[in-house]
Amino acid sequence: MTSRHNEEISSDSEPDSPAVEKKVRVPEDEEIEETAQEKKLRLAKLYLEQLREEEEEKAEQEDFEKDLIAGRLQEDVLEQRGKLQRFVAKDYQPPDIADIRLLRGHQLPVTCLVISPDDKQVFSAAKDCSIIKWEVESGKKLHTIAGGRKGTEDRHVGHTAHILCMAISSDGKYLATGDRNKLIMIWEAVPCKHLYTFTGHRDAVSGLSFRKGTHQLYSASHDRSIKVWNVDENAYVETLFGHQDVITGLDSLSRERCVTTGGRDRTVRVWKIAEESQLVFNGHEGSIDCIQLINEEHMVTGADDGSIAVWSVGKKKPLVTVKQAHGCHGDGGLEQPYWISSVAALQNSDTVASGSNNSKVQLWKCGEGFRNLQPLFSIPLTGFVNSLKFSNSGNFLVAGVGQEHRLGRWWRIKEAKNGLYIIPLKKQNSEQDITRSK
């Protein structure tokens, strides 16, 4: 009985088991309903959390952009004040001679050159009155504007006298070229199409520069004057006087001012266009033949006394002068320094370069506060280095070379090749930079 009863109990419990199952299922059903509500709640919380995260990310991005803009603005402010200085000279190493490329196309000495703002093209001009547009990467000629014979000015589109200077606008739109025939020609840089010819100078045009960020053009001449032009309007603006000898070089950046060298008057001048005033600087002992702004406050010059000088626009004397920067030539007792025929500066940095006719281009590091110049290394190049330009990236240097000096025919170096040299500038890798900075 007991066992049967037990069995019955056991069997009685069987029909209860569905009820038990029901009991189990009900809370399960309730749990599912709660999960659905919880799910809604969880999704709502998740959505709100995502919104909050997105808002935070957006705020972070805005802060980052603000910092970036502030950084850029700070750089712009530093650049305007002439205080932005990138210390890159220490990274440069001498290039492999095999990597230096010679581009040949001019029949006579190259006198001047400019690099396009994107570093992809170089424009060069020479005593053969021609202009050539080159592709940097391939070294190919993209366009040639042939020079014309004297007396064909009326029918020839281009120059018929030695081209002495050229400039390109900071947006790469306009190219300006100046010649011994007192003419300034304005070209559309991309198609090399002639737009206008500016007349007004009474002697050779020896310097040209576009004000950075504008189409305002400054020109300098052997007639001792500076002229200001508005290229967009094809218009003359004004003339400035002051130099006592032929002007040999001119440069400008974004301020409404330009800097010039006055040859044998031995002065460097800063022209404040808006104020119609000028600052006069003295320092070299010979004819000052070339000038380049390093930044808005500092500039480098070269002279035929063989010296290179770095100046601040706030001081009337050079901050530093290196005499016999390219050595001397001649027999004992009659030694003469090699003339400095060109200078270049990597904008807003501590790196400058100089060219002469002593078979080398010299790179220099500007010390703290631009108060000293230390030689970095020299690059062998035969001939007169008449023009030097750093690429905007600082990855290469272009030298315009000729058998003769750009301003005259005092000597001739027969073994020199008239052409452009593309000099790659090697930098030490970033790991070494990081190691050094530690």
Side-chain angles (χ1 to χ4, degrees), residues 1 103-104 168 170 193 197 205 227 239 282 310 321 337 355 372 394 421:
M1 285 284 291
L103 310 185
R104 297 200 67 182
I168 192 165
S170 53
K193 178 188 166 192
T197 299
V205 180
K227 288 188 188 293
T239 304
N282 295 279
V310 175
T321 303
N372 63 59
Y421 286 87

Side-chain angles (χ1 to χ4, degrees), residues 13-29:
S13 66
E14 276 178 12
D16 287 340
S17 61
V20 169
E21 278 174 20
K22 272 183 191 172
K23 280 177 189 172
V24 172
R25 264 204 304 272
V26 171
E28 263 185 30
D29 286 346

Side-chain angles (χ1 to χ4, degrees), residues 57-76:
E57 277 177 26
K58 194 177 169 186
E60 275 177 24
Q61 184 65 25
E62 281 174 2
D63 286 346
F64 174 71
E65 282 171 8
K66 276 178 195 167
D67 289 346
L68 206 63
I69 291 162
R72 279 190 199 137
L73 286 172
Q74 196 177 357
E75 277 209 356
D76 288 347

